[in-house]
Amino acid sequence: MRYSRFFIPTLRDDPADAEVISHKLLLRAGFIRRVTSGVYDYLPIGLRVLRKIEAIVREEMNRAGAQELLMPMVQPCELWEKSERMEKYGPELLRFRDRHNHESCLGPTHEEVICDLVSRELRSYKQLPMNLYQIQAKFRDEIRPRFGLMRGREFVMKDAYSFHADDACLRREYQLMFDTYTTIFNRFGLTFRAVEADTGSIGGSDSHEFHVLAESGEDLIAHCSGCDYAANVEKAVSVRDVPASAADAEEASEISTPDVTSAEDVAAFLKVDTALLVKTLVYHLHGGENNGAIVAACVRGDDQLQEIKLAHAAAADSVELASEEEVRSVGGVSGFVGPQGLSCPVYVDESLRDASGLVAGANKADAHVTGLSMQCDVADAVYADVRETREGDACTRCSAAIELSRGIEIGQVFALGKRYTEPMEVMFQDQQGKRAVATMGCYGIGVSRLMAAVVEQCNDEAGIHWPVSLAPFQVALISMGQSETVLAASESIYHELSDAGIEVLWDERKERPGVKFKDAELMGLPMQIVVGDRSLERGVIEYGERGGERIEAEPAMVAAAVIASLQQAGSSH
RNA sequence: CGGGGCAUAGCGCAGCCUGGUAGCGCAUCUGGUUUGGGACCAGAGGGUCGGGUGUUCGAAUCACCCUGCCCCGACCA
């Protein structure tokens, strides 16, 4: 490809609205442009990278026996009614009506469509198992799209769906997909970690997420320093240190705490350990059997409540902090809410089960209760794990310390069971001749997000440092000046490499050398070949890895040497 | 949804407080000199100052409304 004819609009300055490094570099180097909030154009070099990511994913999925198909982006809402997700999925599902006033939506995921398809065609257990996947644009109307490709509204995803006659078969496929994902992410040269995960709005039983470890990650991952336990903090369990309570036998008594509301302030005011405070939060439930109900949840003063765990404990889809009126409606007083005497269910974290000598809000203005014992003083508490794991907690498996890291979720595997196949009636005739419901798994990879995740891990001062397998071109062929000899020598090498199947971006622009080097390094091409009058006079051409020393070689030898270096660099991942 | 910030040439920004002919750097175009790590000289083009309403003799600037973008946001009951 000749640079002068190729569309690569690079930017010298960082765009003002980009925050994370991948967003800045992908914009600056001319890979993407924003169209509207959370929606991007993939420019020619961006698309080249996206296609390479897709190709690797496709190759490994095919190797694992999955079959590619393509489903529509527009879906009829009836399917979502049938799976009972129309309500549950919420405003992230973009809905609209077509000209016939037919309710439709843009697919954020495809469980409904695939189940609809498979339910029509599946007859016998002999057709199972099967794993169908697609690589396609999805749309989720995110509350807050951000960080460029990291959290877009429209994004490219590989989604696979497997169907099985029994759970043992599903478990085997789950493991196969888990292993396939590990292979795929290794091929990208990523530092990543598989962690236990909540199943979120997809549902099902088992799930693992794959995270690229990066400071800019939006997820928090808890992992054990002693064993291989790792989980998203939405799900992670751990054992916390429980402080000795000073006064075990103390009677509960009320104490005046005018204008002292926060856990830290109350602890300081009463000169007690913050961990002996009970933080009581009031929530409004969304979805589930108790949709709309108000509940309270208690954690220790130095802990944080994990809302997703609370939603599970309360059998809700999600929870939202209650308004002041709602707090009052269950007998609470904002700023002084406590677990005693509330007219709603109270979920109490396990770490408080046997605790006493606690301090909690008194449900009266300007008052707290001291000497509180959960067992004696809070009758109807429902105990559950609702606290968020903290750094330094003990691992429930090996007691070593838990550490926290930030991660970018790039893939997730789910054992769905019959969550969709039952309502969608994905049935078949089993070996005994009876009608049975298929069991199902689903497996996603964020293809466009991967592009950003790779850049987060592979960048330096000069720009992006793509692994050879993903670079938009493997070689930047830089012609210094416009002399006939330079252009002829360049063209000859260009053809030699192209014929060998190497992708070369030949920079024959009338630009100064510095500009060409900067652009090649910004867009991250792994190898450079430099053809200049000065070196040609000495009978040599230079080549080298991006950012490394350049080596001189006879023109006839350069192509072979570059191919050898590329193979070496490519195999190191 | 709540809070904060921003919106002026393709990009990055100044000007606004204190109203009076719209500026700078980069990029672009022309000519010339250059040419081994984002050159230099000379010239040129490019703006509904996000949109609307109002105040005023006069608005990029003041007021109000709207839109878009960016950042932060469970709470500490």
Side-chain angles (χ1 to χ4, degrees):
Chain A
M1 189 62 64
R2 293 164 114 96
Y3 199 129
S4 65
R5 308 190 27 141
F6 204 51
F7 180 47
I8 313 177
T10 59
L11 265 24
R12 187 184 287 222
D13 301 313
D14 277 339
D17 52 6
E19 183 79 359
V20 298
I21 191 75
S22 62
H23 190 194
K24 288 181 186 173
L25 287 175
L26 289 170
L27 282 169
R28 271 190 63 200
F31 287 78
I32 59 169
R33 285 292 184 267
R34 193 187 75 96
V35 177
T36 184
S37 178
V39 177
Y40 289 83
D41 290 317
Y42 295 87
L43 308 193
I45 54 169
L47 183 62
R48 290 177 80 98
V49 174
L50 195 70
R51 292 286 185 246
K52 290 187 180 198
I53 296 172
E54 290 175 6
I56 289 172
V57 170
R58 189 173 275 126
E59 196 179 310
E60 295 300 332
M61 288 302 290
N62 291 346
R63 196 197 304 279
Q67 305 171 62
E68 187 169 5
L69 83 173
L70 186 58
M71 289 181 273
M73 190 164 179
V74 172
Q75 307 182 3
C77 285
E78 286 94 325
L79 293 180
W80 288 73
E81 303 281 5
K82 193 167 182 185
S83 70
E84 294 165 343
R85 273 212 293 186
M86 196 67 194
E87 292 298 313
K88 193 169 177 172
Y89 211 88
E92 278 186 26
L93 183 66
L94 182 64
R95 300 144 211 234
F96 58 95
R97 287 167 188 274
D98 65 18
R99 68 196 301 167
H100 303 295
N101 213 25
H102 190 106
E103 285 238 42
S104 308
C105 60
L106 285 186
T109 174
H110 282 68
E111 283 81 11
E112 282 77 6
V113 177
I114 195 91
C115 283
D116 181 56
L117 170 70
V118 173
S119 69
R120 290 166 197 276
E121 309 306 328
L122 184 63
R123 311 232 148 114
S124 159
Y125 73 93
K126 292 177 186 169
Q127 294 168 276
L128 297 176
M130 68 172 151
N131 187 336
L132 300 167
Y133 77 97
Q134 63 174 345
I135 296 175
Q136 185 223 29
K138 297 278 187 275
F139 192 93
R140 293 181 187 169
D141 201 357
E142 296 279 350
I143 304 174
R144 183 143 88 90
R146 56 183 141 181
F147 303 154
L149 297 186
M150 211 94 99
R151 178 171 296 280
R153 295 150 84 211
E154 186 178 294
F155 57 98
V156 178
M157 179 169 166
K158 186 282 303 178
D159 47 325
Y161 307 88
S162 70
F163 296 88
H164 310 269
D166 57 63
D167 284 332
C169 184
L170 168 59
R171 277 196 295 278
R172 284 196 297 277
E173 185 69 13
Y174 185 90
Q175 187 59 48
L176 175 61
M177 284 294 113
F178 189 101
D179 295 342
T180 299
Y181 277 29
T182 304
T183 306
I184 290 170
F185 299 136
N186 276 327
R187 284 185 66 179
F188 293 135
L190 289 167
T191 306
F192 68 95
R193 183 134 195 189
V195 308
E196 293 176 17
D198 182 68
T199 53
S201 63
I202 302 281
S205 50
D206 289 322
S207 181
H208 285 85
E209 290 167 347
F210 290 77
H211 284 266
V212 165
L213 303 182
E215 269 310 303
S216 57
E218 295 186 88
D219 285 285
L220 252 191
I221 307 302
H223 45 92
C224 178
S225 55
C227 69
D228 62 2
Y229 177 73
N232 192 305
V233 94
E234 294 171 355
K235 162 141 194 180
V237 290
S238 61
V239 179
R240 88 178 322 281
D241 281 339
V242 175
S245 76
D248 266 344
E250 192 186 338
E251 283 286 299
S253 59
E254 210 173 287
I255 184 164
S256 171
T257 51
D259 285 331
V260 187
T261 59
S262 80
E264 286 76 17
D265 293 347
V266 173
F269 183 79
L270 298 175
K271 299 193 173 56
V272 298
D273 190 337
T274 318
L276 289 173
L277 263 75
V278 177
K279 200 148 72 173
T280 307
L281 301 126
V282 181
Y283 278 91
H284 178 122
L285 303 184
H286 289 289
E289 287 168 22
N290 303 311
N291 187 22
I294 308 294
V295 301
C298 297
V299 293
R300 287 184 176 271
D302 57 343
D303 266 335
Q304 303 232 317
L305 183 85
Q306 173 53 52
E307 289 185 351
I308 289 168
K309 289 182 176 178
L310 176 61
H312 282 300
D317 294 337
S318 63
V319 298
E320 187 188 355
L321 213 64
S323 65
E324 283 208 19
E325 297 93 275
E326 287 171 328
V327 172
R328 269 198 298 278
S329 75
V330 295
V333 175
S334 258
F336 304 91
V337 177
Q340 287 178 294
L342 292 174
S343 63
C344 67
V346 180
Y347 294 91
V348 177
D349 187 67
E350 289 290 354
S351 65
L352 286 163
R353 188 185 277 275
D354 300 314
S356 58
L358 300 166
V359 176
N363 292 322
K364 282 183 196 170
D366 299 328
H368 279 77
V369 175
T370 61
L372 185 81
S373 155
M374 275 294 162
Q375 294 295 346
C376 306
D377 302 319
V378 185
D380 309 321
V382 181
Y383 289 92
D385 174 31
V386 294
R387 63 182 285 275
E388 187 163 293
T389 287
R390 298 192 308 173
E391 192 135 340
D393 283 350
C395 175
T396 53
R397 295 188 187 169
C398 75
S399 300
I402 294 283
E403 296 170 343
L404 296 179
S405 300
R406 297 220 144 256
I408 302 166
E409 186 197 336
I410 48 171
Q412 188 165 14
V413 292
F414 299 85
L416 295 174
K418 295 174 180 165
R419 163 67 184 87
Y420 296 94
T421 48
E422 209 157 72
M424 301 299 291
E425 300 174 282
V426 183
M427 319 265 292
F428 64 97
Q429 198 168 22
D430 69 16
Q431 228 164 339
Q432 284 73 45
K434 290 190 185 133
R435 293 268 283 163
V437 175
T439 186
M440 181 179 180
C442 81
Y443 320 92
I445 289 180
V447 172
S448 47
R449 180 183 282 178
L450 258 171
M451 190 162 147
V454 170
V455 177
E456 286 292 322
Q457 277 194 356
C458 306
N459 69 79
D460 55 29
E461 282 289 292
I464 304 173
H465 198 144
W466 292 110
V468 172
S469 58
L470 296 184
F473 295 90
Q474 286 105 57
V475 175
L477 173 59
I478 296 174
S479 297
M480 307 280 247
Q482 299 286 308
S483 76
E484 283 298 320
T485 40
V486 162
L487 291 179
S490 301
E491 185 157 12
S492 152
I493 287 188
Y494 176 70
H495 285 126
E496 216 178 327
L497 286 170
S498 299
D499 290 349
I502 306 293
E503 295 165 303
V504 183
L505 182 63
W506 176 16
D507 195 345
E508 25 64 291
R509 292 176 298 171
K510 288 179 181 140
E511 287 288 353
R512 299 173 67 81
V515 175
K516 299 187 178 190
F517 287 123
K518 292 284 188 209
D519 276 338
E521 282 155 20
L522 177 61
M523 73 180 85
L525 309 187
M527 290 292 292
Q528 294 177 355
I529 299 175
V530 183
V531 183
D533 284 312
R534 235 157 67 179
S535 46
L536 277 179
E537 274 168 28
R538 298 204 313 279
V540 297
I541 282 173
E542 296 160 41
Y543 71 94
E545 283 182 32
R546 174 185 181 279
E549 292 288 301
R550 283 193 282 269
I551 302 163
E552 296 188 338
E554 289 172 39
M557 310 299 290
V558 168
V562 165
I563 290 168
S565 303
L566 281 171
Q567 273 163 359
Q568 205 180 2
S571 63
S572 69
H573 279 305

